Amino acid sequence: MLRLHYNLEKISMGLVAAIIVAASIGGLVEIAPLFTIDETVELPDDLRPHTPLELAGREIYIREGCYACHSQMVRSLADELDRYGPYSLAAESAYDHPMLWGSKRTGPDLARLGGKYSDDWHVAHLIDPRSVVPASIMPSYPWLTRPLDTDLLSDSLATLARLGVPYDQGMIAAVEADALAQSRPDSDVVDGFQERYGEQPAIRAFDGNPSRLTEMDAVVAYLQSLGTLTDAPYRILAEGSQ
Amino acid sequence: MTSTLTVSERHVGLLLSILLALMGFAMAAAARHGVMAVHGFMAVGLGMALAFVLGGALYDPEPSADRLRRYYDAPTRFGIVMTLIWAMIGMGVGVWVAALLYWPEGTPLWPATSFGRLRPVHTTGIIFGFGGNALIATSFHVLQRTSRARLAGSISPWIVLIGFNLFCAWAVTGYLMGSTQSKEYAEAEWYADLWLVVVWVTYFILYIRTLARRAEPHIYVANWYYMAFILVVAMLHIVNNLALPVRWTTAESFPIWSGVQDAMVQWWYGHNAVAFFLTAGFLGMLYYFLPVRSGRPIWSYRLSIVSFWGITFFYIWVGSHHLHYTALPYWAQTLGMTFSVMLLVPSWASAGNAIATLNGAWHKVRDDATLRFMFVAAVFYGLSTFEGSFLAIRPVNSLSHYTDWTVGHVHSGTLGWVAMIVFGAIYTLVPQLNGKTEMASPRAVEWHFWLAVAGTLIYVVSMWNAGITQGLMWRAYDANGALSYSFVQSVEAMAPFYLLRTIGGALFLTGAVVCAWNCRATMRGAAGHATDRPLVAQPAE
C-alpha cells in the first residue's frame, strides 16, 4: 500500500482522480436515494403550496435572515412535541425552495406558529418586539410597513412551477390580484382567489389596514400559514396516540 | 504589482480589466435597478481602477530577467493584506452581532444594519474573506516552495485573488441590501456563484500547471490537502448552489432542491465547507509551516497518508448529523453519526502527528509566540474534532442541537484552530517575504498570542455553558409533567453568557488588529526579496 501511495504522489492527475473518487462516495450514497425512494416524502392529499402573498412574505423572511435564529423543524422529541406541536414531516417542506429548517434557536421554533397569535400581536411584535415580550432580544423591523413590491411575484410563481411546485397557468396569470385579494376580505376578487387556492388560506387585512398592501401583510400572512399547509402531522400524531 | 509583469502581460491584464468593466456594465444595464445593478457598477469600478493602474504603467521598464529564477511572491503578499482586511471586517461584524444578542437596540434602525443581514456578513467575511484569502495566499507560497518552481503564470494568480475578493465583496454587500439565498455559508446569489466557479477553475488550472513544473519528484503532503480543498469545494459549491434565477436580470433565484433533499444537500455542503474549506486547506498550511518554523520534519509520513485519505473519505458522509430527529430518513442520520465518530481517528492522527513533530523543539514553542500559535492550533484542532464527533452522537445531539453549544463548537474550531494557524503562517511569512528576520514588533506577537488564547477560551467556555443551560431548560419538566420553563425564560438566562462571549470576541478582534498593525509596520520598508532558499534553475521555456 505504501509503495502504491509512494508512486501515486508523483502523479498530480492521479491524486486529483483519487481525491474526487474518495470524496464522492459518501454524498452519492446518502443523497441519491433520497430522490428515488418513495417513502422519503409522502405527499398528503390536502397539502397546498403557499399563496402569492405568503410566498412574498417568505421571501422577506429570507431577506431579513430570520432563519438564522428561528428553526422550522420540530424534532421527534417529547419536549418539542409538548412545546411546539406535532413533529415536522418531510412533506410539509416539499414545495419549499429552499427549505428553512434552520440550525439555531436563538428564538423559538416557528414550524407550528400559524394561528398561535393574533395578527395584531404579530404586527406589534415585528415593529417592536419588546413592546409585547419585554425580555425579547429580537431585532425590530419597523420598515415592514412599506408597500409590498409585487413586481417579481408572477415570475417567481412561474419559476417555482418549473421546479415542480403545483402552480398552474391561472395562478401565475392572476398573481397580483390574488396577493391583493388575500389582504382584502371584502373585495370582489376574493372569489377568484378561493377558486384557485381553496378555502384554507386565511383572508384578512393582516396589517390591520385593508387599503394598503404592505410587506407587513405578506410577512404576517406567511407566519400565520406556518404549519397549516396540511393537517397530516396532526392526523399522524392522533393515530399514533390511539 | 505592475512592476512584476512584463509589458505584454500588462497588455493582457489591461484587456482583462476592460472586459471586467464591460461585463459589469452589461450587468448593470440589463438589471437597471436593484442589487444586481449595484454589483454591476462595482465590477465596472474595479475593472476601471485596474485598467488605470495597468494603463498608467503600461510602458514602464520590463522586470529583470532573473525574476524567473525567483519565486513569484507578489500575489502572496497581496493575499495576506486582503486576509488581514477581511479579518478586521469579519471579526468586527462578529463582535457587533454578538453585542446585539445582549443589547438588541445597539444598532441603527436601518434594514442594512439589522442582525439578520449582518450575521451572514460575519460568516462570509470570516470563512471566505479571511479564511479564503489566507488559503489562496499560503497555497501559492507552499506550492512554489515544495515544488521548487515558480507559479505557472503571472496573470492567473491575480485573476484568482482579485476575482475571489470581488466574489466576497458582492456577497457581503448583497446581504446588506437584502439579497441572499438563505443557504447557510452559501448565501451569495446565482451570478456571484457562477463568477466563483470561473475563479475556481482558474485556480485549479494554475495549481496543476505549477505542479507540472515541479523540480521535486514527489508532491508534498501540504499540496494534497490544498488540492482536496480546491477540488471538493468546487464540487460542493456547484451542487449546493444549483438554482433557477427568477429573471436573468435580477438577483433573486430559487434553488432547484426543495424540502428534505434540500436539507441533505445543504448540510452535505455545510459540513464539508467545514471539512474542505476550514479543515483540509488549513491542514495543508499546518503541514508546511509547522515543520518549517520548528525546524523538525513531520513526525510520521505514514500517519499523514492515513489521515489524509481518512479525512477525504469519511468527512463527506457526516453532513446528516446536522439533521438528527428531523424528517430526514433515519438511515441517513445513522450513517452521518457513524462516520462522524469514525472521523475522530484520522482527525486525531493529524493532530497527534503535528504535536509529535514538535518533539525536540519544545523550547522553541516556549520562546517563539509564532510557533506557539501553531501548537495551540493543533491542540484546538484535536479538541474541536473530538467535540464534533461527540456532538454528532444522536442522544448528545438531542441536547446540543439548536443551542449555543454548536456555536461554541464552531468557534473552538474557527478561533482556536483556523485563525491560530493562519496567524502562525502570517507571522512566519510576512518577515520572510519582506527580507526581514523578524516581525517589526516581536512583543506585539506575544501580546496577540495571549489576547487570542484568552479570547478563544472566554468565548468557547461561555458558549458551552450557554448551550447546555438552554438544552436543559428546554427539556425540563416539573413534578406535574408540564414544561418547567417558557422559551423566553431560556432567552433571559443567556444574558450573562452573551455578554461574556462578546468580551471574548472583542479580545480576539483586538489581537487581530494588533497583528494587522504589526504586519503593516513589517511590510513598510521591505528590503529585497524573500529570504528563504532560492529557486532551482528552470529549464528554458
Side-chain angles (χ1 to χ4, degrees), chain A residues 5 9-10 30 64 82-83 93-94 97 99 103 105 130 155, chain B residues 105 117 184 214 219 247 255 258 262 301 309 317 402 477:
Chain A
H5 202 275
E9 64 194 53
K10 291 181 192 167
E30 287 185 359
E64 301 300 344
D82 286 340
R83 189 179 297 279
S93 50
H97 295 265
M99 56 85 207
S103 61
R105 285 179 185 157
R130 279 157 290 285
D155 284 337
Chain B
E105 316 281 358
R117 297 194 187 190
E184 281 188 84
R214 71 185 181 279
I219 299 171
R247 274 181 215 152
S258 73
D262 184 39
Y301 165 67
W309 291 106
W317 297 75
Y402 296 131
Y477 283 91

PDB file of all heavy atoms in Angstrom, chain A residues 5 9-10 30 64 82-83 93-94 97 99 103 105 130 155, chain B residues 105 117 184 214 219 247 255 258 262 301 309 317 402 477:
ATOM      1  N   HIS A   5       1.144   4.235  -2.765  1.00  0.00           N
ATOM      2  CA  HIS A   5       0.985   5.647  -2.495  1.00  0.00           C
ATOM      3  C   HIS A   5       2.239   6.423  -2.876  1.00  0.00           C
ATOM      4  O   HIS A   5       2.172   7.538  -3.379  1.00  0.00           O
ATOM      5  CB  HIS A   5       0.640   5.880  -1.024  1.00  0.00           C
ATOM      6  CG  HIS A   5      -0.034   7.196  -0.793  1.00  0.00           C
ATOM      7  ND1 HIS A   5       0.665   8.359  -0.616  1.00  0.00           N
ATOM      8  CD2 HIS A   5      -1.340   7.527  -0.765  1.00  0.00           C
ATOM      9  CE1 HIS A   5      -0.198   9.347  -0.476  1.00  0.00           C
ATOM     10  NE2 HIS A   5      -1.416   8.872  -0.559  1.00  0.00           N
ATOM     11  N   GLU A   9       1.815   9.650  -5.398  1.00  0.00           N
ATOM     12  CA  GLU A   9       2.079  11.047  -5.104  1.00  0.00           C
ATOM     13  C   GLU A   9       3.112  11.671  -6.034  1.00  0.00           C
ATOM     14  O   GLU A   9       3.563  12.783  -5.820  1.00  0.00           O
ATOM     15  CB  GLU A   9       2.464  11.241  -3.632  1.00  0.00           C
ATOM     16  CG  GLU A   9       3.735  10.578  -3.239  1.00  0.00           C
ATOM     17  CD  GLU A   9       3.881  10.502  -1.719  1.00  0.00           C
ATOM     18  OE1 GLU A   9       2.970  10.016  -1.038  1.00  0.00           O
ATOM     19  OE2 GLU A   9       4.909  10.941  -1.226  1.00  0.00           O
ATOM     20  N   LYS A  10       3.463  10.933  -7.085  1.00  0.00           N
ATOM     21  CA  LYS A  10       4.305  11.534  -8.124  1.00  0.00           C
ATOM     22  C   LYS A  10       3.464  11.980  -9.313  1.00  0.00           C
ATOM     23  O   LYS A  10       3.971  12.597 -10.243  1.00  0.00           O
ATOM     24  CB  LYS A  10       5.341  10.518  -8.610  1.00  0.00           C
ATOM     25  CG  LYS A  10       6.410  10.172  -7.587  1.00  0.00           C
ATOM     26  CD  LYS A  10       7.381   9.180  -8.202  1.00  0.00           C
ATOM     27  CE  LYS A  10       8.287   8.580  -7.161  1.00  0.00           C
ATOM     28  NZ  LYS A  10       9.008   7.410  -7.686  1.00  0.00           N
ATOM     29  N   GLU A  30     -25.605   8.868   0.298  1.00  0.00           N
ATOM     30  CA  GLU A  30     -26.611   9.481   1.166  1.00  0.00           C
ATOM     31  C   GLU A  30     -27.636  10.320   0.416  1.00  0.00           C
ATOM     32  O   GLU A  30     -28.784  10.424   0.845  1.00  0.00           O
ATOM     33  CB  GLU A  30     -25.916  10.359   2.228  1.00  0.00           C
ATOM     34  CG  GLU A  30     -25.233   9.527   3.289  1.00  0.00           C
ATOM     35  CD  GLU A  30     -24.649  10.374   4.410  1.00  0.00           C
ATOM     36  OE1 GLU A  30     -24.768  11.607   4.356  1.00  0.00           O
ATOM     37  OE2 GLU A  30     -24.080   9.783   5.341  1.00  0.00           O
ATOM     38  N   GLU A  64     -34.526  39.085   5.425  1.00  0.00           N
ATOM     39  CA  GLU A  64     -34.126  39.638   6.729  1.00  0.00           C
ATOM     40  C   GLU A  64     -33.321  38.644   7.565  1.00  0.00           C
ATOM     41  O   GLU A  64     -32.924  38.957   8.687  1.00  0.00           O
ATOM     42  CB  GLU A  64     -35.353  40.115   7.506  1.00  0.00           C
ATOM     43  CG  GLU A  64     -36.178  41.187   6.791  1.00  0.00           C
ATOM     44  CD  GLU A  64     -35.374  42.458   6.494  1.00  0.00           C
ATOM     45  OE1 GLU A  64     -34.298  42.655   7.088  1.00  0.00           O
ATOM     46  OE2 GLU A  64     -35.813  43.249   5.629  1.00  0.00           O
ATOM     47  N   ASP A  82     -44.393  18.762  23.166  1.00  0.00           N
ATOM     48  CA  ASP A  82     -45.148  19.488  24.185  1.00  0.00           C
ATOM     49  C   ASP A  82     -45.035  20.999  24.007  1.00  0.00           C
ATOM     50  O   ASP A  82     -45.969  21.744  24.266  1.00  0.00           O
ATOM     51  CB  ASP A  82     -44.643  19.117  25.589  1.00  0.00           C
ATOM     52  CG  ASP A  82     -45.111  17.729  25.988  1.00  0.00           C
ATOM     53  OD1 ASP A  82     -46.088  17.248  25.377  1.00  0.00           O
ATOM     54  OD2 ASP A  82     -44.491  17.119  26.882  1.00  0.00           O
ATOM     55  N   ARG A  83     -43.854  21.451  23.567  1.00  0.00           N
ATOM     56  CA  ARG A  83     -43.648  22.896  23.462  1.00  0.00           C
ATOM     57  C   ARG A  83     -44.230  23.463  22.177  1.00  0.00           C
ATOM     58  O   ARG A  83     -44.848  24.524  22.180  1.00  0.00           O
ATOM     59  CB  ARG A  83     -42.148  23.209  23.535  1.00  0.00           C
ATOM     60  CG  ARG A  83     -41.827  24.713  23.644  1.00  0.00           C
ATOM     61  CD  ARG A  83     -40.336  24.977  23.739  1.00  0.00           C
ATOM     62  NE  ARG A  83     -39.722  24.418  24.939  1.00  0.00           N
ATOM     63  CZ  ARG A  83     -39.754  24.990  26.139  1.00  0.00           C
ATOM     64  NH1 ARG A  83     -40.372  26.149  26.297  1.00  0.00           N
ATOM     65  NH2 ARG A  83     -39.176  24.414  27.174  1.00  0.00           N
ATOM     66  N   SER A  93     -42.374  20.530   3.843  1.00  0.00           N
ATOM     67  CA  SER A  93     -41.486  21.462   3.144  1.00  0.00           C
ATOM     68  C   SER A  93     -41.199  21.000   1.718  1.00  0.00           C
ATOM     69  O   SER A  93     -40.261  21.484   1.089  1.00  0.00           O
ATOM     70  CB  SER A  93     -40.185  21.644   3.929  1.00  0.00           C
ATOM     71  OG  SER A  93     -39.622  20.394   4.265  1.00  0.00           O
ATOM     72  N   ALA A  94     -42.020  20.065   1.208  1.00  0.00           N
ATOM     73  CA  ALA A  94     -41.742  19.505  -0.119  1.00  0.00           C
ATOM     74  C   ALA A  94     -41.747  20.574  -1.207  1.00  0.00           C
ATOM     75  O   ALA A  94     -41.083  20.433  -2.223  1.00  0.00           O
ATOM     76  CB  ALA A  94     -42.762  18.418  -0.453  1.00  0.00           C
ATOM     77  N   HIS A  97     -38.524  25.864  -1.732  1.00  0.00           N
ATOM     78  CA  HIS A  97     -37.233  26.088  -2.409  1.00  0.00           C
ATOM     79  C   HIS A  97     -36.660  27.401  -1.887  1.00  0.00           C
ATOM     80  O   HIS A  97     -37.123  28.446  -2.306  1.00  0.00           O
ATOM     81  CB  HIS A  97     -37.410  26.204  -3.922  1.00  0.00           C
ATOM     82  CG  HIS A  97     -37.898  24.963  -4.575  1.00  0.00           C
ATOM     83  ND1 HIS A  97     -37.065  24.039  -5.144  1.00  0.00           N
ATOM     84  CD2 HIS A  97     -39.151  24.481  -4.752  1.00  0.00           C
ATOM     85  CE1 HIS A  97     -37.782  23.050  -5.671  1.00  0.00           C
ATOM     86  NE2 HIS A  97     -39.045  23.288  -5.438  1.00  0.00           N
ATOM     87  N   MET A  99     -35.544  24.903   1.631  1.00  0.00           N
ATOM     88  CA  MET A  99     -36.154  24.605   2.931  1.00  0.00           C
ATOM     89  C   MET A  99     -35.620  25.622   3.955  1.00  0.00           C
ATOM     90  O   MET A  99     -34.539  26.166   3.776  1.00  0.00           O
ATOM     91  CB  MET A  99     -35.844  23.172   3.378  1.00  0.00           C
ATOM     92  CG  MET A  99     -34.372  22.808   3.455  1.00  0.00           C
ATOM     93  SD  MET A  99     -33.571  23.259   5.015  1.00  0.00           S
ATOM     94  CE  MET A  99     -31.885  23.486   4.526  1.00  0.00           C
ATOM     95  N   SER A 103     -30.915  26.064  11.846  1.00  0.00           N
ATOM     96  CA  SER A 103     -29.883  25.309  12.559  1.00  0.00           C
ATOM     97  C   SER A 103     -29.700  25.840  13.974  1.00  0.00           C
ATOM     98  O   SER A 103     -28.891  25.327  14.721  1.00  0.00           O
ATOM     99  CB  SER A 103     -28.556  25.403  11.808  1.00  0.00           C
ATOM    100  OG  SER A 103     -28.143  26.751  11.726  1.00  0.00           O
ATOM    101  N   ARG A 105     -31.693  27.943  17.496  1.00  0.00           N
ATOM    102  CA  ARG A 105     -32.886  28.531  18.099  1.00  0.00           C
ATOM    103  C   ARG A 105     -32.487  29.605  19.096  1.00  0.00           C
ATOM    104  O   ARG A 105     -32.539  29.388  20.300  1.00  0.00           O
ATOM    105  CB  ARG A 105     -33.736  27.460  18.787  1.00  0.00           C
ATOM    106  CG  ARG A 105     -34.503  26.580  17.822  1.00  0.00           C
ATOM    107  CD  ARG A 105     -35.298  25.517  18.548  1.00  0.00           C
ATOM    108  NE  ARG A 105     -35.927  24.611  17.592  1.00  0.00           N
ATOM    109  CZ  ARG A 105     -36.300  23.375  17.889  1.00  0.00           C
ATOM    110  NH1 ARG A 105     -36.116  22.894  19.108  1.00  0.00           N
ATOM    111  NH2 ARG A 105     -36.857  22.619  16.967  1.00  0.00           N
ATOM    112  N   ARG A 130     -40.069  44.177  21.976  1.00  0.00           N
ATOM    113  CA  ARG A 130     -40.072  44.346  23.427  1.00  0.00           C
ATOM    114  C   ARG A 130     -41.342  45.005  23.947  1.00  0.00           C
ATOM    115  O   ARG A 130     -41.568  45.051  25.152  1.00  0.00           O
ATOM    116  CB  ARG A 130     -38.807  45.099  23.864  1.00  0.00           C
ATOM    117  CG  ARG A 130     -37.593  44.170  23.951  1.00  0.00           C
ATOM    118  CD  ARG A 130     -36.268  44.848  23.842  1.00  0.00           C
ATOM    119  NE  ARG A 130     -35.994  45.370  22.502  1.00  0.00           N
ATOM    120  CZ  ARG A 130     -35.657  44.620  21.448  1.00  0.00           C
ATOM    121  NH1 ARG A 130     -35.545  43.322  21.570  1.00  0.00           N
ATOM    122  NH2 ARG A 130     -35.433  45.159  20.263  1.00  0.00           N
ATOM    123  N   ASP A 155     -43.230  36.036 -12.017  1.00  0.00           N
ATOM    124  CA  ASP A 155     -42.069  35.259 -12.464  1.00  0.00           C
ATOM    125  C   ASP A 155     -41.624  34.268 -11.393  1.00  0.00           C
ATOM    126  O   ASP A 155     -41.112  33.194 -11.707  1.00  0.00           O
ATOM    127  CB  ASP A 155     -40.905  36.185 -12.826  1.00  0.00           C
ATOM    128  CG  ASP A 155     -41.127  36.869 -14.165  1.00  0.00           C
ATOM    129  OD1 ASP A 155     -41.895  36.318 -14.974  1.00  0.00           O
ATOM    130  OD2 ASP A 155     -40.551  37.938 -14.389  1.00  0.00           O
TER     131      ASP A 155
ATOM    132  N   GLU B 105     -30.816  46.731  20.976  1.00  0.00           N
ATOM    133  CA  GLU B 105     -31.034  48.076  20.416  1.00  0.00           C
ATOM    134  C   GLU B 105     -29.722  48.697  19.923  1.00  0.00           C
ATOM    135  O   GLU B 105     -29.718  49.834  19.472  1.00  0.00           O
ATOM    136  CB  GLU B 105     -31.646  49.016  21.475  1.00  0.00           C
ATOM    137  CG  GLU B 105     -32.769  48.421  22.308  1.00  0.00           C
ATOM    138  CD  GLU B 105     -34.093  48.401  21.565  1.00  0.00           C
ATOM    139  OE1 GLU B 105     -34.121  48.887  20.429  1.00  0.00           O
ATOM    140  OE2 GLU B 105     -35.074  47.878  22.123  1.00  0.00           O
ATOM    141  N   ARG B 117     -29.201  40.572   8.674  1.00  0.00           N
ATOM    142  CA  ARG B 117     -28.403  40.876   7.476  1.00  0.00           C
ATOM    143  C   ARG B 117     -26.921  40.950   7.805  1.00  0.00           C
ATOM    144  O   ARG B 117     -26.081  40.693   6.945  1.00  0.00           O
ATOM    145  CB  ARG B 117     -28.871  42.201   6.862  1.00  0.00           C
ATOM    146  CG  ARG B 117     -30.319  42.144   6.384  1.00  0.00           C
ATOM    147  CD  ARG B 117     -30.640  43.333   5.493  1.00  0.00           C
ATOM    148  NE  ARG B 117     -32.061  43.363   5.172  1.00  0.00           N
ATOM    149  CZ  ARG B 117     -32.589  44.161   4.264  1.00  0.00           C
ATOM    150  NH1 ARG B 117     -31.810  44.994   3.590  1.00  0.00           N
ATOM    151  NH2 ARG B 117     -33.876  44.143   4.021  1.00  0.00           N
ATOM    152  N   GLU B 184     -27.091  28.468   4.452  1.00  0.00           N
ATOM    153  CA  GLU B 184     -26.021  28.933   5.327  1.00  0.00           C
ATOM    154  C   GLU B 184     -24.641  28.659   4.721  1.00  0.00           C
ATOM    155  O   GLU B 184     -24.365  27.559   4.254  1.00  0.00           O
ATOM    156  CB  GLU B 184     -26.141  28.268   6.701  1.00  0.00           C
ATOM    157  CG  GLU B 184     -27.213  28.940   7.548  1.00  0.00           C
ATOM    158  CD  GLU B 184     -27.219  28.421   8.964  1.00  0.00           C
ATOM    159  OE1 GLU B 184     -26.424  28.908   9.784  1.00  0.00           O
ATOM    160  OE2 GLU B 184     -28.023  27.517   9.231  1.00  0.00           O
ATOM    161  N   ARG B 214       7.213  21.080 -11.284  1.00  0.00           N
ATOM    162  CA  ARG B 214       7.960  20.890 -10.043  1.00  0.00           C
ATOM    163  C   ARG B 214       9.302  20.202 -10.281  1.00  0.00           C
ATOM    164  O   ARG B 214       9.440  19.342 -11.162  1.00  0.00           O
ATOM    165  CB  ARG B 214       7.132  20.127  -9.012  1.00  0.00           C
ATOM    166  CG  ARG B 214       6.912  18.671  -9.320  1.00  0.00           C
ATOM    167  CD  ARG B 214       5.974  18.044  -8.299  1.00  0.00           C
ATOM    168  NE  ARG B 214       5.776  16.624  -8.587  1.00  0.00           N
ATOM    169  CZ  ARG B 214       4.935  16.173  -9.494  1.00  0.00           C
ATOM    170  NH1 ARG B 214       4.189  17.000 -10.211  1.00  0.00           N
ATOM    171  NH2 ARG B 214       4.822  14.871  -9.711  1.00  0.00           N
ATOM    172  N   ILE B 219       4.960  14.931  -4.704  1.00  0.00           N
ATOM    173  CA  ILE B 219       4.110  16.061  -4.333  1.00  0.00           C
ATOM    174  C   ILE B 219       3.986  16.033  -2.818  1.00  0.00           C
ATOM    175  O   ILE B 219       3.557  15.025  -2.248  1.00  0.00           O
ATOM    176  CB  ILE B 219       2.730  15.933  -5.000  1.00  0.00           C
ATOM    177  CG1 ILE B 219       2.898  15.931  -6.522  1.00  0.00           C
ATOM    178  CG2 ILE B 219       1.815  17.064  -4.555  1.00  0.00           C
ATOM    179  CD1 ILE B 219       1.631  15.601  -7.274  1.00  0.00           C
ATOM    180  N   ARG B 247     -35.526  35.922 -12.905  1.00  0.00           N
ATOM    181  CA  ARG B 247     -35.302  36.517 -14.227  1.00  0.00           C
ATOM    182  C   ARG B 247     -33.800  36.615 -14.403  1.00  0.00           C
ATOM    183  O   ARG B 247     -33.079  36.714 -13.414  1.00  0.00           O
ATOM    184  CB  ARG B 247     -35.859  37.943 -14.289  1.00  0.00           C
ATOM    185  CG  ARG B 247     -37.296  38.059 -14.638  1.00  0.00           C
ATOM    186  CD  ARG B 247     -37.682  39.542 -14.686  1.00  0.00           C
ATOM    187  NE  ARG B 247     -39.050  39.720 -14.214  1.00  0.00           N
ATOM    188  CZ  ARG B 247     -39.491  40.829 -13.649  1.00  0.00           C
ATOM    189  NH1 ARG B 247     -38.695  41.862 -13.486  1.00  0.00           N
ATOM    190  NH2 ARG B 247     -40.750  40.921 -13.261  1.00  0.00           N
ATOM    191  N   PRO B 255     -33.466  27.880  -5.409  1.00  0.00           N
ATOM    192  CA  PRO B 255     -32.640  26.670  -5.525  1.00  0.00           C
ATOM    193  C   PRO B 255     -33.463  25.555  -6.155  1.00  0.00           C
ATOM    194  O   PRO B 255     -34.674  25.481  -5.923  1.00  0.00           O
ATOM    195  CB  PRO B 255     -32.310  26.317  -4.076  1.00  0.00           C
ATOM    196  CG  PRO B 255     -32.589  27.538  -3.282  1.00  0.00           C
ATOM    197  CD  PRO B 255     -33.645  28.293  -4.013  1.00  0.00           C
ATOM    198  N   SER B 258     -35.547  21.100  -2.968  1.00  0.00           N
ATOM    199  CA  SER B 258     -36.563  21.533  -2.018  1.00  0.00           C
ATOM    200  C   SER B 258     -36.622  20.567  -0.848  1.00  0.00           C
ATOM    201  O   SER B 258     -36.141  19.438  -0.925  1.00  0.00           O
ATOM    202  CB  SER B 258     -37.930  21.602  -2.698  1.00  0.00           C
ATOM    203  OG  SER B 258     -38.415  20.294  -2.918  1.00  0.00           O
ATOM    204  N   ASP B 262     -33.256  19.170  -0.127  1.00  0.00           N
ATOM    205  CA  ASP B 262     -32.502  20.416   0.011  1.00  0.00           C
ATOM    206  C   ASP B 262     -31.744  20.423   1.344  1.00  0.00           C
ATOM    207  O   ASP B 262     -30.585  20.849   1.416  1.00  0.00           O
ATOM    208  CB  ASP B 262     -33.455  21.612  -0.065  1.00  0.00           C
ATOM    209  CG  ASP B 262     -32.708  22.942  -0.033  1.00  0.00           C
ATOM    210  OD1 ASP B 262     -31.632  23.023  -0.667  1.00  0.00           O
ATOM    211  OD2 ASP B 262     -33.187  23.882   0.613  1.00  0.00           O
ATOM    212  N   TYR B 301       5.358  10.024   8.199  1.00  0.00           N
ATOM    213  CA  TYR B 301       4.864  10.116   6.827  1.00  0.00           C
ATOM    214  C   TYR B 301       3.650   9.199   6.647  1.00  0.00           C
ATOM    215  O   TYR B 301       2.646   9.573   6.045  1.00  0.00           O
ATOM    216  CB  TYR B 301       6.006   9.731   5.898  1.00  0.00           C
ATOM    217  CG  TYR B 301       5.638   9.416   4.475  1.00  0.00           C
ATOM    218  CD1 TYR B 301       5.157  10.412   3.628  1.00  0.00           C
ATOM    219  CD2 TYR B 301       5.799   8.134   3.967  1.00  0.00           C
ATOM    220  CE1 TYR B 301       4.837  10.117   2.317  1.00  0.00           C
ATOM    221  CE2 TYR B 301       5.475   7.838   2.658  1.00  0.00           C
ATOM    222  CZ  TYR B 301       4.985   8.825   1.838  1.00  0.00           C
ATOM    223  OH  TYR B 301       4.667   8.528   0.538  1.00  0.00           O
ATOM    224  N   TRP B 309      -6.283  10.442   3.677  1.00  0.00           N
ATOM    225  CA  TRP B 309      -7.350   9.709   2.980  1.00  0.00           C
ATOM    226  C   TRP B 309      -8.526   9.456   3.896  1.00  0.00           C
ATOM    227  O   TRP B 309      -9.679   9.424   3.453  1.00  0.00           O
ATOM    228  CB  TRP B 309      -6.803   8.419   2.354  1.00  0.00           C
ATOM    229  CG  TRP B 309      -5.891   8.761   1.214  1.00  0.00           C
ATOM    230  CD1 TRP B 309      -4.527   8.684   1.201  1.00  0.00           C
ATOM    231  CD2 TRP B 309      -6.276   9.318  -0.051  1.00  0.00           C
ATOM    232  NE1 TRP B 309      -4.030   9.147   0.003  1.00  0.00           N
ATOM    233  CE2 TRP B 309      -5.086   9.533  -0.788  1.00  0.00           C
ATOM    234  CE3 TRP B 309      -7.492   9.648  -0.641  1.00  0.00           C
ATOM    235  CZ2 TRP B 309      -5.083  10.068  -2.073  1.00  0.00           C
ATOM    236  CZ3 TRP B 309      -7.493  10.171  -1.927  1.00  0.00           C
ATOM    237  CH2 TRP B 309      -6.292  10.387  -2.625  1.00  0.00           C
ATOM    238  N   TRP B 317     -19.420  12.034   4.430  1.00  0.00           N
ATOM    239  CA  TRP B 317     -20.611  11.316   4.897  1.00  0.00           C
ATOM    240  C   TRP B 317     -21.313  12.018   6.058  1.00  0.00           C
ATOM    241  O   TRP B 317     -22.446  11.671   6.382  1.00  0.00           O
ATOM    242  CB  TRP B 317     -20.220   9.921   5.404  1.00  0.00           C
ATOM    243  CG  TRP B 317     -19.641   8.990   4.400  1.00  0.00           C
ATOM    244  CD1 TRP B 317     -18.390   9.014   3.867  1.00  0.00           C
ATOM    245  CD2 TRP B 317     -20.297   7.856   3.813  1.00  0.00           C
ATOM    246  NE1 TRP B 317     -18.210   7.976   2.993  1.00  0.00           N
ATOM    247  CE2 TRP B 317     -19.374   7.249   2.946  1.00  0.00           C
ATOM    248  CE3 TRP B 317     -21.569   7.304   3.961  1.00  0.00           C
ATOM    249  CZ2 TRP B 317     -19.678   6.104   2.207  1.00  0.00           C
ATOM    250  CZ3 TRP B 317     -21.863   6.161   3.232  1.00  0.00           C
ATOM    251  CH2 TRP B 317     -20.932   5.572   2.361  1.00  0.00           C
ATOM    252  N   TYR B 402     -29.434  23.083  17.968  1.00  0.00           N
ATOM    253  CA  TYR B 402     -30.189  24.346  18.016  1.00  0.00           C
ATOM    254  C   TYR B 402     -29.707  25.256  19.151  1.00  0.00           C
ATOM    255  O   TYR B 402     -30.227  26.363  19.291  1.00  0.00           O
ATOM    256  CB  TYR B 402     -31.701  24.128  18.184  1.00  0.00           C
ATOM    257  CG  TYR B 402     -32.407  23.422  17.051  1.00  0.00           C
ATOM    258  CD1 TYR B 402     -33.269  22.357  17.295  1.00  0.00           C
ATOM    259  CD2 TYR B 402     -32.251  23.847  15.736  1.00  0.00           C
ATOM    260  CE1 TYR B 402     -33.943  21.720  16.265  1.00  0.00           C
ATOM    261  CE2 TYR B 402     -32.920  23.210  14.701  1.00  0.00           C
ATOM    262  CZ  TYR B 402     -33.763  22.150  14.970  1.00  0.00           C
ATOM    263  OH  TYR B 402     -34.439  21.529  13.954  1.00  0.00           O
ATOM    264  N   TYR B 477     -38.949  19.224  32.875  1.00  0.00           N
ATOM    265  CA  TYR B 477     -40.363  19.079  33.241  1.00  0.00           C
ATOM    266  C   TYR B 477     -40.502  19.262  34.747  1.00  0.00           C
ATOM    267  O   TYR B 477     -39.601  18.894  35.502  1.00  0.00           O
ATOM    268  CB  TYR B 477     -40.863  17.673  32.869  1.00  0.00           C
ATOM    269  CG  TYR B 477     -41.154  17.492  31.393  1.00  0.00           C
ATOM    270  CD1 TYR B 477     -40.172  17.039  30.528  1.00  0.00           C
ATOM    271  CD2 TYR B 477     -42.417  17.767  30.891  1.00  0.00           C
ATOM    272  CE1 TYR B 477     -40.436  16.864  29.179  1.00  0.00           C
ATOM    273  CE2 TYR B 477     -42.697  17.595  29.546  1.00  0.00           C
ATOM    274  CZ  TYR B 477     -41.701  17.141  28.691  1.00  0.00           C
ATOM    275  OH  TYR B 477     -41.976  16.979  27.371  1.00  0.00           O
TER     276      TYR B 477
END
